[in-house]
Amino acid sequence: MLHNFTNQYLKNIALLGSTGSIGRQALEVVKANPQQFTVIALTAHNNAQKLIEQAIEFRPHAVVIGCRDSYNLVKSALQPFDISVYTGNDALNDIVELEQIDTVLLALVGFAGLKPAINAIKAGKDLALANKESLVVAGEIISKLSKEKGASLLPIDSEHSAIFQCLVGEQINSIEKIYLTASGGPFFGKSIEFLKNVTVSQALQHPRWKMGKKITIDSASLMNKGLEVIEASWLFDLEPHQIDVLIHPESVVHSMVQFVDGNIKAQFGPTDMRYPIHFALSYPNRISSPFPRLDFDKNSNLTFFKPDKKSFRNLDLAYHALLEGGNMPCILNAANEASVELFLNNKISFLQISDIIEQSIAKIDYIRQPGLEDLIHTDKLTRSFVNSIFMSNLNKTNTFKNNHLMIRKRKEPKTG
């Protein structure tokens, strides 16, 4: 059982995924505003050493290390500081329920963030969401639950934060459409022929943002923008035709809202995730930050382009999943996560990511009104299906190689 603690600070934060890119930047925001925020809990999956360093600096009341093998190491290191240490998925799901927590910042990657997100909302906590997959997979469940519990959903993705900021003081029914901007990633303007041979190293060279590997690959394939389209539909109660995507290589305009009277609001800012994190944690207030301001002298030329949906098919696949609804976004997300992992391990090509997602959407059983258990089952089933596709293709390749070798041997002339 987790202990409860007391604190006198303005806003108490639980940070799930503290050792990742978003987690580290969130702690920079906390450090810059020590009178506004304090950390109640930190969690990490397997980066035990970084978690120990963060816990010693920020002195949370509790930490969770997901990897059980690292539990004794973390517990021993933090024992002199009177920090409670827990491990395992149950602890991760339970930590968000601590009474003193005001806001849970969810920076876990992928489907793993779904259960903690739901638990946090059930406990009535405001949810600062950097885990878009939770809304992609279970948008209907999370949206309904947040309304029932009176828990705010505070977007941290720069694009959704931009939309959220543009809508402050506005009526939701006054929205005509929104524009989600995308940097275009490292392959903006590249042809399908070029994309056939890109390497993992090339795909990880994002021109604007410093992010984790998975989201960087998603950005390169435009799946990140596709997931954001689905997320935006739930966050802002929009139909698919009300959400458009524009490539904006400078990444200064983070997104825009077009209203029914034809006027457009845009949110500008540096390419720095600390800004949307800062806004989400301080909302509904705006508090001073020490971070650098946007220099318009260095950003005088702003350009916008339509995305190349033929070369980057993931965007249309995401729109298709949104239109279908049900468990289709869950299938899309699981297939993407599994295929991106295969790509990062050099087991499939960059373009095969889209091929595998498309096959998964076509083959996995569709459920129109899935419950949470249906989504968990769909996720597992899809990942298994992706693995079966890979193994089947691998066996075909090996068979071809073996047959080719046999043919060569038959043609070799006898000697002696």
Side-chain angles (χ1 to χ4, degrees):
M1 180 179 290
L2 299 174
H3 305 300
N4 281 317
F5 311 94
T6 59
N7 200 287
Q8 302 300 316
Y9 284 81
L10 175 62
K11 191 172 289 190
N12 296 332
I13 311 297
L15 177 49
L16 277 58
S18 65
T19 61
S21 175
I22 294 294
R24 296 184 192 203
Q25 292 176 85
L27 288 176
E28 289 185 46
V29 172
V30 171
K31 188 174 182 178
N33 298 275
Q35 301 305 315
Q36 304 292 335
F37 311 121
T38 190
V39 177
I40 293 293
L42 295 172
T43 82
H45 178 58
N46 58 15
N47 193 341
Q49 193 55 51
K50 189 63 181 178
L51 179 63
I52 291 168
E53 293 173 10
Q54 291 175 339
I56 291 173
E57 180 177 2
F58 290 92
R59 303 296 175 90
H61 296 299
V63 302
V64 176
I65 179 70
C67 178
R68 294 181 183 275
D69 293 342
S70 299
Y71 171 73
N72 290 331
L73 171 65
V74 176
K75 184 175 178 60
S76 176
L78 298 183
Q79 190 170 6
F81 303 95
D82 194 29
I83 298 173
S84 299
V85 180
Y86 305 95
T87 188
N89 289 331
D90 288 342
L92 182 65
N93 293 327
D94 290 344
I95 200 78
V96 300
E97 299 175 2
L98 289 176
E99 182 180 351
Q100 290 72 24
I101 293 171
D102 300 309
T103 301
V104 174
L105 196 162
L106 185 58
L108 300 177
V109 177
F111 187 83
L114 179 57
K115 282 190 174 181
I118 289 176
N119 277 24
I121 295 170
K122 284 182 177 178
K125 313 299 182 184
D126 289 338
L127 187 63
L129 199 59
N131 173 271
K132 63 177 63 66
E133 291 86 355
S134 296
L135 274 179
V136 169
V137 169
E140 186 171 1
I141 293 173
I142 289 176
S143 296
K144 182 179 179 182
L145 192 60
S146 66
K147 291 174 184 176
E148 290 176 357
K149 297 295 182 179
S152 297
L153 296 179
L154 305 168
I156 283 181
D157 275 343
S158 61
E159 296 82 0
H160 300 97
S161 176
I163 300 297
F164 189 60
Q165 292 184 58
C166 288
L167 291 176
V168 171
E170 301 285 355
Q171 298 294 322
I172 291 293
N173 61 8
S174 68
I175 300 173
E176 187 168 272
K177 71 186 305 183
I178 66 172
Y179 295 94
L180 299 177
T181 57
S183 68
F187 305 136
F188 172 58
K190 301 298 184 183
S191 67
I192 291 179
E193 287 302 313
F194 177 89
L195 296 176
K196 286 179 180 178
N197 299 307
V198 299
T199 65
V200 172
S201 177
Q202 289 174 311
L204 289 173
Q205 299 303 311
H206 198 283
R208 293 286 176 179
W209 296 94
K210 293 182 179 179
M211 305 175 290
K213 289 184 177 181
K214 191 267 181 183
I215 192 173
T216 303
I217 300 301
D218 282 351
S219 179
S221 72
L222 284 192
M223 177 54 83
N224 191 48
K225 207 52 49 181
L227 298 178
E228 288 175 4
V229 167
I230 300 173
E231 184 181 7
S233 72
W234 291 111
L235 281 172
F236 308 114
D237 194 23
L238 298 173
E239 296 296 326
H241 71 270
Q242 292 179 284
I243 307 170
D244 209 347
V245 172
L246 289 174
I247 305 298
H248 172 52
E250 296 81 13
S251 298
V252 171
V253 177
H254 295 299
S255 279
M256 298 175 279
V257 178
Q258 180 173 301
F259 296 95
V260 292
D261 61 1
N263 285 301
I264 295 176
K265 277 188 181 180
Q267 189 265 328
F268 290 65
T271 53
D272 187 328
M273 285 303 299
R274 292 176 297 181
Y275 291 88
I277 293 169
H278 191 277
F279 181 79
L281 292 183
S282 59
Y283 184 81
N285 302 311
R286 283 194 185 270
I287 60 177
S288 178
S289 82
F291 308 126
R293 274 32 180 179
L294 181 66
D295 186 344
F296 279 94
D297 288 340
K298 296 179 180 179
N299 296 279
S300 57
N301 295 315
L302 304 180
T303 57
F304 301 91
F305 306 91
K306 290 185 177 181
D308 177 2
K309 295 182 181 180
K310 291 184 178 179
S311 298
F312 299 90
R313 294 159 44 218
N314 283 349
L315 190 54
D316 272 345
L317 291 174
Y319 271 102
H320 170 76
L322 176 58
L323 285 165
E324 290 292 317
N327 68 334
M328 194 63 74
C330 181
I331 298 170
L332 175 93
N333 180 72
N336 180 63
E337 285 189 22
S339 56
V340 166
E341 185 176 354
L342 289 173
F343 173 69
L344 285 169
N345 289 313
N346 293 298
K347 293 181 177 179
I348 63 172
S349 70
F350 183 74
L351 290 180
Q352 282 181 299
I353 296 174
S354 299
D355 294 337
I356 290 173
I357 295 169
E358 190 168 24
Q359 290 179 64
S360 301
I361 286 175
K363 294 295 184 180
I364 302 298
D365 289 340
Y366 174 69
I367 303 172
R368 181 170 295 278
Q369 293 183 312
L372 180 58
E373 291 304 316
D374 294 320
L375 295 174
I376 293 172
H377 176 69
T378 296
D379 179 80
K380 291 180 179 179
L381 190 65
T382 305
R383 292 172 193 272
S384 177
F385 177 73
V386 170
N387 187 60
S388 70
I389 293 174
F390 167 68
M391 294 305 298
S392 176
N393 290 339
L394 183 65
N395 290 334
K396 288 178 182 178
T397 301
N398 289 337
T399 300
F400 172 79
K401 288 180 178 178
N402 290 335
N403 289 340
H404 186 59
L405 182 62
M406 290 175 64
I407 292 170
R408 286 181 59 192
K409 284 184 176 181
R410 290 193 193 105
K411 290 183 177 180
E412 289 174 359
K414 294 183 179 180
T415 60

